[in-house]
Amino acid sequence: MSANLERFQKDLEKLITTGHRLELAMQQHCMPEEFEGRVREQFGKETDKFINELPSFTGGYQRWYSEVLALLIGQ
């Protein structure tokens, strides 16, 4: 049982992190100029790198949602 709980926690942490990154990707997708301005204030020269490392919201959300649903229903 302990191994299952550890696996669940690890999977959940990964999905939470991915969810936060998808939220940022959604903001970038919907409001690119405003998002880039805010990111530039925080990251300066690293802005382009940060934005390029975000997942694709349109391609990643459905996959993420399906994984979340499977994790929560399967437990």
Side-chain angles (χ1 to χ4, degrees):
M1 181 78 173
S2 173
N4 285 341
L5 182 58
E6 288 175 19
R7 191 184 91 236
F8 176 79
Q9 288 175 329
K10 182 179 175 184
D11 290 345
L12 182 60
E13 288 173 10
K14 179 183 171 200
L15 289 168
I16 289 170
T17 299
T18 302
H20 288 304
R21 293 179 51 72
L22 282 167
E23 178 184 12
L24 293 171
M26 178 179 59
Q27 292 174 17
Q28 194 273 332
H29 180 78
C30 294
M31 304 173 296
E33 293 174 9
E34 295 89 343
F35 180 79
E36 185 176 334
R38 285 181 287 152
V39 171
R40 193 164 302 286
E41 288 176 8
Q42 292 182 354
F43 291 94
K45 294 186 291 183
E46 300 293 317
T47 297
D48 291 335
K49 180 182 177 194
F50 178 82
I51 290 174
N52 289 334
E53 290 178 351
L54 289 175
S56 165
F57 177 73
T58 56
Y61 177 78
Q62 186 61 46
R63 180 175 46 252
W64 172 83
Y65 181 82
S66 296
E67 289 180 31
V68 169
L69 198 58
L71 181 70
L72 295 178
I73 291 175
Q75 297 303 319

